[in-house]
């Protein structure tokens, strides 16, 4: 009996202080010094605490779900589709053609027609119309005033130089005002000294000469530079056809 009692007394039981110590070590993660069973238990408890979701306070709201890039692109496309301004209508081919035609041929292009008619007598070429105060070409007299009458589209066979100065056909202007299709005339003297030419354009920036069409004696239809009327005492004066106002 004595031997049995002494054997039981050798069994080690943890006292109250040892139990508290082991529990504290398990809570703070210090598990290396405790038995294996207690170590596993404390590790599972810590993991469970870490995975518990945090609770929101009463005033805190959940953050909105961020849309995926594909959803953002789709939403933007819908907004643009809803508020997209109407596309500007393209002009028709017929309208474009008409616009180009007007740009190439201005509405007030009667001056160019005067020059084109003058060129039909082939100035300054072997095919030019010879000069004559009695002969005609296509119904018009082949002198200077007959040639100008043809270019202006006046009735056949054309008026003479004095007649061209009439207010019925022309009006006086300054030489500086000359434009394509205007006339430079000397209506004084006799039929051998009077002359008229058709102004085309200035030959230089100084306006010291100009290009003109004329039907001149002993030659015929010509296109050359002239300076008639540019001196202060010149008998040549500038005139504007009433059809070119």
């Amino acid at each position: 009996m004595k031997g049995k009692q002494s054997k039981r007394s050798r069994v080690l039981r943890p006292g109250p202080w040892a139990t508290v110590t082991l529990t504290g070590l398990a809570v703070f993660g210090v598990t290396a010094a405790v038995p294996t069973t207690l170590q596993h238990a404390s590790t599972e408890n810590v993991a469970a605490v870490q995975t518990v979701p945090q609770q929101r306070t009463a005033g805190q709201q959940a953050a909105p779900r961020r849309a995926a890039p594909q959803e953002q692109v789709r939403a933007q496309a819908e907004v643009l589709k809803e508020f997209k301004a109407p596309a500007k209508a393209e002009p028709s081919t017929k309208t474009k053609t008409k616009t180009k035609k007007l740009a190439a041929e201005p509405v007030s292009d009667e001056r160019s027609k005067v020059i084109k008619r003058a060129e039909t007598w082939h100035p300054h070429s072997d095919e030019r119309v010879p000069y004559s105060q009695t002969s005609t070409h296509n119904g018009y007299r082949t002198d200077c005033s007959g040639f100008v009458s043809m270019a202006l589209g006046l009735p056949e066979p054309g008026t003479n130089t004095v007649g061209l100065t009439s207010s019925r056909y022309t009006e006086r202007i300054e030489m500086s005002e000359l434009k394509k299709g205007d006339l430079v005339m000397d209506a004084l003297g006799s039929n051998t000294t009077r002359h008229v030419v058709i102004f085309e354009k200035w030959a230089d920036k100084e306006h010291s000469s100009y290009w003109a069409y004329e039907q001149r004696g002993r030659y015929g239809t010509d296109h050359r530079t002239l300076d008639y009327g540019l001196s202060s005492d010149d008998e040549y004066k500038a005139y504007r056809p009433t059809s070119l106002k």
Side-chain angles (χ1 to χ4, degrees):
M1 296 297 291
K2 292 182 180 181
K4 289 182 181 180
Q5 291 177 354
S6 61
K7 183 177 181 180
R8 288 180 181 178
S9 62
R10 294 191 189 98
V11 177
L12 296 177
R13 292 182 180 179
W17 177 256
T19 303
V20 173
T21 304
L22 292 175
T23 303
L25 292 174
V27 172
F28 288 95
V30 184
T31 60
V34 299
T36 304
T37 303
L38 294 177
Q39 180 177 352
H40 289 316
S42 61
T43 303
E44 291 175 357
N45 292 336
V46 173
V49 172
Q50 292 177 348
T51 56
V52 173
Q54 295 181 354
Q55 294 183 356
R56 297 187 300 271
T57 60
Q60 183 178 4
Q61 296 182 356
R65 184 177 63 89
R66 185 174 183 181
Q70 294 84 352
E71 296 178 354
Q72 293 178 357
V73 172
R74 190 178 303 108
Q76 292 176 358
E78 289 296 328
V79 172
L80 292 176
K81 181 179 179 181
E82 184 70 19
F83 297 97
K84 186 177 181 181
K88 187 176 181 181
E90 289 290 335
S92 62
T93 305
K94 184 177 180 181
T95 304
K96 291 180 180 179
T97 304
K98 186 177 181 181
T99 303
K100 291 181 180 179
K101 185 176 181 181
L102 291 176
E105 298 180 7
V107 177
S108 59
D109 201 31
E110 290 298 321
R111 294 180 178 276
S112 295
K113 292 181 180 179
V114 172
I115 302 302
K116 289 180 179 179
R117 285 192 288 262
E119 291 175 343
T120 62
W121 281 26
H122 309 290
H124 203 68
S125 70
D126 294 338
E127 299 177 13
R128 64 186 181 273
V129 176
Y131 179 91
S132 175
Q133 292 184 352
T134 58
S135 300
T136 60
H137 178 74
N138 293 336
Y140 288 94
R141 199 172 56 253
T142 57
D143 58 4
C144 62
S145 56
F147 170 67
V148 171
S149 296
M150 179 275 302
L152 293 178
L154 301 182
E156 301 173 359
T159 185
N160 58 24
T161 306
V162 176
L164 287 173
T165 63
S166 169
S167 59
R168 178 183 178 185
Y169 299 117
T170 63
E171 65 177 12
R172 280 283 302 274
I173 60 173
E174 297 296 329
M175 292 293 293
S176 59
E177 298 178 293
L178 282 169
K179 296 180 181 180
K180 179 170 58 177
D182 289 338
L183 308 179
V184 179
M185 285 191 285
D186 175 10
L188 302 176
S190 65
N191 62 344
T192 58
T193 59
R194 293 191 293 264
H195 193 47
V196 57
V197 302
I198 303 172
F199 178 90
E200 182 193 19
K201 60 184 178 181
W202 293 105
D204 50 43
K205 295 181 180 180
E206 292 75 20
H207 292 187
S208 61
S209 63
Y210 53 87
W211 283 94
Y213 291 88
E214 63 176 336
Q215 186 75 1
R216 62 187 179 93
R218 297 187 299 273
Y219 181 81
T221 317
D222 204 358
H223 180 223
R224 58 176 180 162
T225 57
L226 301 172
D227 58 2
Y228 300 160
L230 296 180
S231 60
S232 58
D233 57 348
D234 205 316
E235 293 182 352
Y236 282 88
K237 307 299 180 183
Y239 292 82
R240 175 155 297 160
T242 55
S243 60
L244 300 182
K245 286 185 178 181

